[in-house]
Amino acid sequence: MRWMKFSVVGMAGVAVQLSGLWFFARGLGIPAIVSTAMAVEVALLHNFAWHEAWTWPCLPVEGRLRRLLRFHAANGFVSLVSNAVFTWLFTECLGMPLLVSNLGAIGVTALLNFFLANQWVFRYEEVA
């Protein structure tokens, strides 16, 4: 069930990320690689908030800042690096459109991000 919730939040995060990417790159004219990193950050904050509220709802408020830092260290690092690298590769090397390239890059990181979140960021054994 947690994987399903994680996936639903992730799908919403995809919409947030793609919208942010379009806004930063096309709307504001920021270079694609910088826009990708900015869009990933917006999606990370969105996803963290939903994971705290819905995917892992029983965790204490007291550890929230530590979990946010862990989320950025784990999911954030993986997402930022892989999204930037794979978006660039798919766009520049394969000639794919920017949003399609970014969607492919998002797919590459989903399982690893769940593993990191479930095993390190939102661990239940810290509740006791």
Side-chain angles (χ1 to χ4, degrees):
M1 185 62 173
R2 186 166 337 259
W3 167 250
M4 294 300 286
K5 288 181 174 184
F6 187 87
S7 296
V8 169
V9 170
M11 285 185 267
V14 169
V16 169
Q17 183 172 324
L18 292 175
S19 298
L21 178 60
W22 180 89
F23 175 74
F24 297 135
R26 301 293 185 246
L28 298 180
I30 298 171
I33 193 126
V34 176
S35 292
T36 299
M38 292 169 64
V40 168
E41 179 60 26
V42 171
L44 278 169
L45 293 172
H46 165 274
N47 288 4
F48 179 80
W50 277 103
H51 288 322
E52 281 282 313
W54 189 52
T55 311
W56 286 274
C58 298
L59 296 174
V61 173
E62 297 81 40
R64 187 169 288 156
L65 179 59
R66 182 179 66 245
R67 289 190 300 273
L68 177 61
L69 294 174
R70 283 182 177 181
F71 193 71
H72 268 79
N75 291 88
F77 179 76
V78 168
S79 293
L80 281 170
V81 171
S82 66
N83 270 278
V85 168
F86 284 108
T87 298
W88 180 83
L89 284 172
F90 295 156
T91 303
E92 298 300 319
C93 298
L94 300 179
M96 296 169 64
L98 179 61
L99 294 182
V100 174
S101 295
N102 192 238
L103 191 57
I106 291 166
V108 171
T109 64
L111 289 173
L112 180 56
N113 279 340
F114 175 73
F115 176 78
L116 290 169
N118 196 52
Q119 297 300 313
W120 188 53
V121 177
F122 299 104
R123 289 190 314 221
Y124 275 105
E125 49 272 355
E126 293 180 6
V127 174

